[in-house]
Amino acid sequence: MKNIVLTGFMGSGKTTIGRLVAEKLNIDLVDTDSEIIKEFGLTIDQIFEIHGEKKFRECEKRVIERVSKLENVVISTGGGVVLDPENVKLLRKNGVIYFLYASPENILKRLKDDNTRPLLKNGDKLSTIIRLMNIRMPFYKNCDFEINTDILSPDLVAEKIISIHMAKESKR
Ligand code: S3P
């Protein structure tokens, strides 16, 4: 089976939904942020603080190079993975890309007390979310399927991804 690759902004539910999809299909979930954390032995916040975003992105790219070679897995990506077209190209080789959309208001609701996202630490959170989302939207839109998570429960989003994916697989 082709990999199920989840993309989207921070707080769009990639990890939660990835876990549900993997559980329902009884396959492995690979979370790119967790892989980066393992490589550095530091939290994302510490990596940004000590090594800077550039080093984080370099590690992220190495992780994508490695995990994109897998098959039959769910890959939950960090919100900035799609900014590098090389990453998208690699992930598409063995995978189908599902963009999980969530509105800025919903993202704020989910992340208002979160301190683990270095990019949302300074300034007004909602303005930062809107600004970054506007810049990133064309990159997220370069997906195979877009799913609006504002109007569905995580369980229903997972079911929807599975049904799209299985229909696609049966035609291969
Ligand atoms: C980032 C998203 C984060 C993490 C890092 C950078 C981004 O992952 O990779 O903080 O650039 O959007 P989540 O999307 O899982 O929060």
Side-chain angles (χ1 to χ4, degrees), residues 7-15 31-34 36 44-45 48 53 56-57 60 76-81 83 111 114 116-120 132 136 140:
T7 65
F9 202 79
M10 294 166 261
S12 58
K14 296 168 303 235
T15 306
D31 183 272
T32 61
D33 279 346
S34 305
I36 298 167
I44 300 280
D45 212 27
F48 269 70
E53 182 172 354
F56 172 84
R57 297 294 175 204
E60 184 168 66
S76 163
T77 63
V81 159
L83 301 177
L111 299 184
D114 177 276
T116 66
R117 267 71 172 201
L119 297 179
L120 300 181
L132 283 180
R136 291 175 170 198
Y140 292 132

Side-chain angles (χ1 to χ4, degrees), residues 7-160:
T7 65
F9 202 79
M10 294 166 261
S12 58
K14 296 168 303 235
T15 306
T16 308
I17 290 158
R19 204 173 292 133
L20 286 170
V21 172
E23 265 170 30
K24 284 172 192 282
L25 292 176
N26 199 20
I27 59 176
D28 288 337
L29 167 70
V30 184
D31 183 272
T32 61
D33 279 346
S34 305
E35 296 300 309
I36 298 167
I37 289 168
K38 268 190 243 163
E39 283 210 16
F40 277 95
L42 297 169
T43 64
I44 300 280
D45 212 27
Q46 289 167 330
I47 300 168
F48 269 70
E49 180 104 26
I50 299 168
H51 300 282
E53 182 172 354
K54 191 162 175 275
K55 285 272 176 288
F56 172 84
R57 297 294 175 204
E58 285 166 12
C59 181
E60 184 168 66
K61 201 176 169 81
R62 284 197 302 279
V63 166
I64 296 293
E65 277 164 8
R66 176 161 55 80
V67 303
S68 61
K69 295 198 181 94
L70 300 170
E71 284 174 12
N72 221 34
V73 295
V74 180
I75 302 175
S76 163
T77 63
V81 159
V82 297
L83 301 177
D84 183 334
E86 269 290 310
N87 287 343
V88 178
K89 204 171 150 192
L90 285 171
L91 288 166
R92 231 188 214 121
K93 269 195 185 157
N94 278 351
V96 181
I97 301 181
Y98 297 86
F99 161 42
L100 304 184
Y101 172 80
S103 66
E105 292 72 21
N106 264 332
I107 287 171
L108 181 68
K109 253 189 234 161
R110 293 174 196 167
L111 299 184
K112 67 177 181 329
D113 298 321
D114 177 276
N115 282 319
T116 66
R117 267 71 172 201
L119 297 179
L120 300 181
K121 276 202 153 163
N122 300 318
D124 174 65
K125 244 185 199 165
L126 183 62
S127 323
T128 311
I129 293 168
I130 294 171
R131 184 177 51 79
L132 283 180
M133 200 186 272
N134 281 338
I135 296 169
R136 291 175 170 198
M137 202 46 99
F139 296 91
Y140 292 132
K141 289 271 182 190
N142 177 21
C143 61
D144 299 306
F145 295 97
E146 174 175 341
I147 295 160
N148 188 335
T149 68
D150 283 342
I151 48 172
L152 297 171
S153 67
D155 203 65
L156 281 175
V157 174
E159 291 293 343
K160 191 166 173 173

